[in-house]
mmCIF file of all heavy atoms in Angstrom:
data_model
loop_
_atom_site.group_PDB
_atom_site.id
_atom_site.type_symbol
_atom_site.label_atom_id
_atom_site.label_comp_id
_atom_site.label_asym_id
_atom_site.label_seq_id
_atom_site.Cartn_x
_atom_site.Cartn_y
_atom_site.Cartn_z
ATOM 1 N N GLY K 1 -213.544 -110.316 29.805
ATOM 2 C CA GLY K 1 -212.733 -110.812 28.704
ATOM 3 C C GLY K 1 -213.290 -110.452 27.354
ATOM 4 O O GLY K 1 -212.547 -110.294 26.384
ATOM 5 N N ASP K 2 -214.653 -110.295 27.269
ATOM 6 C CA ASP K 2 -215.256 -109.879 26.004
ATOM 7 C C ASP K 2 -214.788 -108.486 25.603
ATOM 8 O O ASP K 2 -214.589 -108.202 24.414
ATOM 9 C CB ASP K 2 -216.790 -109.899 26.137
ATOM 10 C CG ASP K 2 -217.345 -111.294 26.386
ATOM 11 O OD1 ASP K 2 -216.697 -112.256 25.942
ATOM 12 O OD2 ASP K 2 -218.396 -111.406 27.011
ATOM 13 N N ALA K 3 -214.638 -107.627 26.598
ATOM 14 C CA ALA K 3 -214.155 -106.277 26.330
ATOM 15 C C ALA K 3 -212.709 -106.313 25.852
ATOM 16 O O ALA K 3 -212.319 -105.601 24.906
ATOM 17 C CB ALA K 3 -214.287 -105.413 27.579
ATOM 18 N N LEU K 4 -211.901 -107.153 26.462
ATOM 19 C CA LEU K 4 -210.486 -107.227 26.095
ATOM 20 C C LEU K 4 -210.286 -107.805 24.700
ATOM 21 O O LEU K 4 -209.244 -107.581 24.068
ATOM 22 C CB LEU K 4 -209.723 -108.050 27.121
ATOM 23 C CG LEU K 4 -209.704 -107.483 28.551
ATOM 24 C CD1 LEU K 4 -208.907 -108.399 29.480
ATOM 25 C CD2 LEU K 4 -209.124 -106.077 28.568
ATOM 26 N N GLN K 5 -211.294 -108.555 24.201
ATOM 27 C CA GLN K 5 -211.205 -109.119 22.860
ATOM 28 C C GLN K 5 -211.091 -108.020 21.794
ATOM 29 O O GLN K 5 -210.570 -108.274 20.685
ATOM 30 C CB GLN K 5 -212.426 -109.967 22.562
ATOM 31 C CG GLN K 5 -212.476 -111.294 23.305
ATOM 32 C CD GLN K 5 -211.386 -112.247 22.846
ATOM 33 O OE1 GLN K 5 -211.134 -112.387 21.643
ATOM 34 N NE2 GLN K 5 -210.725 -112.905 23.778
ATOM 35 N N LEU K 6 -211.546 -106.825 22.106
ATOM 36 C CA LEU K 6 -211.486 -105.724 21.139
ATOM 37 C C LEU K 6 -210.045 -105.390 20.742
ATOM 38 O O LEU K 6 -209.804 -104.857 19.658
ATOM 39 C CB LEU K 6 -212.184 -104.479 21.704
ATOM 40 C CG LEU K 6 -213.686 -104.591 21.949
ATOM 41 C CD1 LEU K 6 -214.206 -103.327 22.607
ATOM 42 C CD2 LEU K 6 -214.445 -104.848 20.651
ATOM 43 N N PHE K 7 -209.091 -105.687 21.609
ATOM 44 C CA PHE K 7 -207.694 -105.413 21.294
ATOM 45 C C PHE K 7 -207.169 -106.311 20.168
ATOM 46 O O PHE K 7 -206.069 -106.076 19.654
ATOM 47 C CB PHE K 7 -206.816 -105.601 22.549
ATOM 48 C CG PHE K 7 -206.925 -104.478 23.540
ATOM 49 C CD1 PHE K 7 -207.766 -104.569 24.639
ATOM 50 C CD2 PHE K 7 -206.184 -103.319 23.362
ATOM 51 C CE1 PHE K 7 -207.861 -103.538 25.554
ATOM 52 C CE2 PHE K 7 -206.273 -102.277 24.273
ATOM 53 C CZ PHE K 7 -207.121 -102.379 25.365
ATOM 54 N N ARG K 8 -207.938 -107.307 19.775
ATOM 55 C CA ARG K 8 -207.511 -108.194 18.702
ATOM 56 C C ARG K 8 -207.846 -107.653 17.318
ATOM 57 O O ARG K 8 -207.356 -108.151 16.330
ATOM 58 C CB ARG K 8 -208.190 -109.563 18.867
ATOM 59 C CG ARG K 8 -207.820 -110.290 20.163
ATOM 60 C CD ARG K 8 -208.578 -111.600 20.273
ATOM 61 N NE ARG K 8 -208.360 -112.465 19.132
ATOM 62 C CZ ARG K 8 -209.002 -113.610 18.905
ATOM 63 N NH1 ARG K 8 -209.956 -114.001 19.744
ATOM 64 N NH2 ARG K 8 -208.722 -114.334 17.833
ATOM 65 N N TYR K 9 -208.681 -106.625 17.261
ATOM 66 C CA TYR K 9 -209.179 -106.143 15.980
ATOM 67 C C TYR K 9 -208.397 -104.928 15.479
ATOM 68 O O TYR K 9 -208.322 -103.899 16.175
ATOM 69 C CB TYR K 9 -210.668 -105.784 16.091
ATOM 70 C CG TYR K 9 -211.512 -106.916 16.620
ATOM 71 C CD1 TYR K 9 -212.530 -106.687 17.543
ATOM 72 C CD2 TYR K 9 -211.304 -108.239 16.202
ATOM 73 C CE1 TYR K 9 -213.327 -107.714 18.020
ATOM 74 C CE2 TYR K 9 -212.079 -109.285 16.667
ATOM 75 C CZ TYR K 9 -213.087 -109.014 17.599
ATOM 76 O OH TYR K 9 -213.856 -110.037 18.072
ATOM 77 N N ARG K 10 -207.848 -105.034 14.275
ATOM 78 C CA ARG K 10 -207.085 -103.924 13.706
ATOM 79 C C ARG K 10 -207.956 -102.685 13.497
ATOM 80 O O ARG K 10 -207.482 -101.546 13.679
ATOM 81 C CB ARG K 10 -206.482 -104.348 12.365
ATOM 82 C CG ARG K 10 -205.514 -103.339 11.784
ATOM 83 C CD ARG K 10 -204.805 -103.848 10.555
ATOM 84 N NE ARG K 10 -205.773 -104.117 9.475
ATOM 85 C CZ ARG K 10 -205.408 -104.410 8.224
ATOM 86 N NH1 ARG K 10 -204.114 -104.488 7.915
ATOM 87 N NH2 ARG K 10 -206.321 -104.651 7.307
ATOM 88 N N PHE K 11 -209.208 -102.903 13.150
ATOM 89 C CA PHE K 11 -210.132 -101.776 12.966
ATOM 90 C C PHE K 11 -210.220 -100.938 14.249
ATOM 91 O O PHE K 11 -210.188 -99.698 14.202
ATOM 92 C CB PHE K 11 -211.510 -102.300 12.584
ATOM 93 C CG PHE K 11 -212.510 -101.257 12.202
ATOM 94 C CD1 PHE K 11 -212.634 -100.828 10.877
ATOM 95 C CD2 PHE K 11 -213.337 -100.659 13.158
ATOM 96 C CE1 PHE K 11 -213.554 -99.856 10.531
ATOM 97 C CE2 PHE K 11 -214.259 -99.695 12.809
ATOM 98 C CZ PHE K 11 -214.364 -99.293 11.496
ATOM 99 N N MET K 12 -210.325 -101.619 15.394
ATOM 100 C CA MET K 12 -210.424 -100.910 16.666
ATOM 101 C C MET K 12 -209.126 -100.214 17.029
ATOM 102 O O MET K 12 -209.125 -99.154 17.648
ATOM 103 C CB MET K 12 -210.858 -101.878 17.778
ATOM 104 C CG MET K 12 -212.296 -102.370 17.662
ATOM 105 S SD MET K 12 -213.516 -101.013 17.657
ATOM 106 C CE MET K 12 -213.268 -100.313 19.288
ATOM 107 N N TRP K 13 -207.996 -100.810 16.656
ATOM 108 C CA TRP K 13 -206.711 -100.160 16.917
ATOM 109 C C TRP K 13 -206.572 -98.859 16.130
ATOM 110 O O TRP K 13 -206.067 -97.849 16.663
ATOM 111 C CB TRP K 13 -205.566 -101.111 16.565
ATOM 112 C CG TRP K 13 -205.178 -102.016 17.696
ATOM 113 C CD1 TRP K 13 -205.610 -103.297 17.914
ATOM 114 C CD2 TRP K 13 -204.291 -101.712 18.768
ATOM 115 N NE1 TRP K 13 -205.043 -103.800 19.053
ATOM 116 C CE2 TRP K 13 -204.230 -102.855 19.610
ATOM 117 C CE3 TRP K 13 -203.541 -100.579 19.106
ATOM 118 C CZ2 TRP K 13 -203.434 -102.908 20.755
ATOM 119 C CZ3 TRP K 13 -202.763 -100.633 20.266
ATOM 120 C CH2 TRP K 13 -202.709 -101.774 21.083
ATOM 121 N N ILE K 14 -207.036 -98.862 14.876
ATOM 122 C CA ILE K 14 -206.964 -97.619 14.081
ATOM 123 C C ILE K 14 -207.869 -96.554 14.700
ATOM 124 O O ILE K 14 -207.481 -95.390 14.841
ATOM 125 C CB ILE K 14 -207.381 -97.896 12.620
ATOM 126 C CG1 ILE K 14 -206.382 -98.847 11.941
ATOM 127 C CG2 ILE K 14 -207.455 -96.580 11.847
ATOM 128 C CD1 ILE K 14 -204.981 -98.292 11.817
ATOM 129 N N CYS K 15 -209.083 -96.950 15.094
ATOM 130 C CA CYS K 15 -209.972 -96.005 15.772
ATOM 131 C C CYS K 15 -209.316 -95.482 17.053
ATOM 132 O O CYS K 15 -209.396 -94.298 17.375
ATOM 133 C CB CYS K 15 -211.295 -96.675 16.107
ATOM 134 S SG CYS K 15 -212.366 -97.034 14.693
ATOM 135 N N GLY K 16 -208.671 -96.415 17.781
ATOM 136 C CA GLY K 16 -208.027 -96.018 19.030
ATOM 137 C C GLY K 16 -206.886 -95.039 18.814
ATOM 138 O O GLY K 16 -206.716 -94.086 19.596
ATOM 139 N N LEU K 17 -206.108 -95.211 17.764
ATOM 140 C CA LEU K 17 -205.000 -94.301 17.496
ATOM 141 C C LEU K 17 -205.497 -92.906 17.123
ATOM 142 O O LEU K 17 -204.908 -91.886 17.527
ATOM 143 C CB LEU K 17 -204.117 -94.862 16.380
ATOM 144 C CG LEU K 17 -203.289 -96.102 16.770
ATOM 145 C CD1 LEU K 17 -202.638 -96.729 15.539
ATOM 146 C CD2 LEU K 17 -202.249 -95.745 17.808
ATOM 147 N N ILE K 18 -206.590 -92.841 16.378
ATOM 148 C CA ILE K 18 -207.170 -91.541 16.052
ATOM 149 C C ILE K 18 -207.747 -90.892 17.313
ATOM 150 O O ILE K 18 -207.623 -89.682 17.538
ATOM 151 C CB ILE K 18 -208.241 -91.660 14.964
ATOM 152 C CG1 ILE K 18 -207.658 -92.257 13.691
ATOM 153 C CG2 ILE K 18 -208.870 -90.287 14.645
ATOM 154 C CD1 ILE K 18 -208.663 -92.612 12.618
ATOM 155 N N GLN K 19 -208.357 -91.729 18.188
ATOM 156 C CA GLN K 19 -208.837 -91.209 19.464
ATOM 157 C C GLN K 19 -207.677 -90.670 20.307
ATOM 158 O O GLN K 19 -207.807 -89.660 20.991
ATOM 159 C CB GLN K 19 -209.561 -92.316 20.232
ATOM 160 C CG GLN K 19 -210.917 -92.714 19.669
ATOM 161 C CD GLN K 19 -212.027 -91.772 20.117
ATOM 162 O OE1 GLN K 19 -211.785 -90.649 20.559
ATOM 163 N NE2 GLN K 19 -213.257 -92.231 19.998
ATOM 164 N N TYR K 20 -206.565 -91.374 20.292
ATOM 165 C CA TYR K 20 -205.341 -90.943 21.011
ATOM 166 C C TYR K 20 -204.959 -89.519 20.603
ATOM 167 O O TYR K 20 -204.674 -88.662 21.447
ATOM 168 C CB TYR K 20 -204.221 -91.919 20.700
ATOM 169 C CG TYR K 20 -202.889 -91.608 21.342
ATOM 170 C CD1 TYR K 20 -202.534 -92.150 22.569
ATOM 171 C CD2 TYR K 20 -201.964 -90.791 20.695
ATOM 172 C CE1 TYR K 20 -201.303 -91.879 23.143
ATOM 173 C CE2 TYR K 20 -200.730 -90.506 21.252
ATOM 174 C CZ TYR K 20 -200.393 -91.046 22.495
ATOM 175 O OH TYR K 20 -199.173 -90.765 23.055
ATOM 176 N N ILE K 21 -204.980 -89.290 19.305
ATOM 177 C CA ILE K 21 -204.617 -87.957 18.786
ATOM 178 C C ILE K 21 -205.715 -86.952 19.085
ATOM 179 O O ILE K 21 -205.429 -85.809 19.473
ATOM 180 C CB ILE K 21 -204.344 -88.047 17.283
ATOM 181 C CG1 ILE K 21 -203.058 -88.860 17.044
ATOM 182 C CG2 ILE K 21 -204.237 -86.663 16.642
ATOM 183 C CD1 ILE K 21 -202.819 -89.264 15.611
ATOM 184 N N ARG K 22 -206.984 -87.370 18.926
ATOM 185 C CA ARG K 22 -208.090 -86.432 19.132
ATOM 186 C C ARG K 22 -208.041 -85.775 20.516
ATOM 187 O O ARG K 22 -208.019 -84.534 20.629
ATOM 188 C CB ARG K 22 -209.438 -87.142 18.982
ATOM 189 C CG ARG K 22 -210.645 -86.238 19.288
ATOM 190 C CD ARG K 22 -211.935 -87.025 19.361
ATOM 191 N NE ARG K 22 -211.992 -87.927 20.506
ATOM 192 C CZ ARG K 22 -212.308 -87.562 21.759
ATOM 193 N NH1 ARG K 22 -212.575 -86.302 22.041
ATOM 194 N NH2 ARG K 22 -212.340 -88.465 22.727
ATOM 195 N N LEU K 23 -208.012 -86.567 21.558
ATOM 196 C CA LEU K 23 -208.053 -85.979 22.897
ATOM 197 C C LEU K 23 -206.692 -85.437 23.321
ATOM 198 O O LEU K 23 -206.626 -84.510 24.139
ATOM 199 C CB LEU K 23 -208.572 -86.991 23.917
ATOM 200 C CG LEU K 23 -209.080 -86.358 25.222
ATOM 201 C CD1 LEU K 23 -210.234 -85.384 24.951
ATOM 202 C CD2 LEU K 23 -209.528 -87.422 26.211
ATOM 203 N N GLY K 24 -205.611 -86.002 22.759
ATOM 204 C CA GLY K 24 -204.301 -85.426 23.035
ATOM 205 C C GLY K 24 -204.233 -83.986 22.560
ATOM 206 O O GLY K 24 -203.749 -83.099 23.266
#
């Protein structure tokens, strides 16, 4: 559950979206 808490943070979502584009 500690790992899933990261989905609550907007900062991590922005990083995740850039990661989405990077490897895509």
Side-chain angles (χ1 to χ4, degrees):
D2 296 331
L4 297 180
Q5 288 292 317
L6 294 176
F7 284 97
R8 298 177 56 187
Y9 305 139
R10 187 173 63 171
F11 187 90
M12 290 302 297
W13 273 96
I14 296 296
C15 289
L17 290 170
I18 301 172
Q19 289 278 18
Y20 179 93
I21 292 168
R22 176 190 67 81
L23 199 59

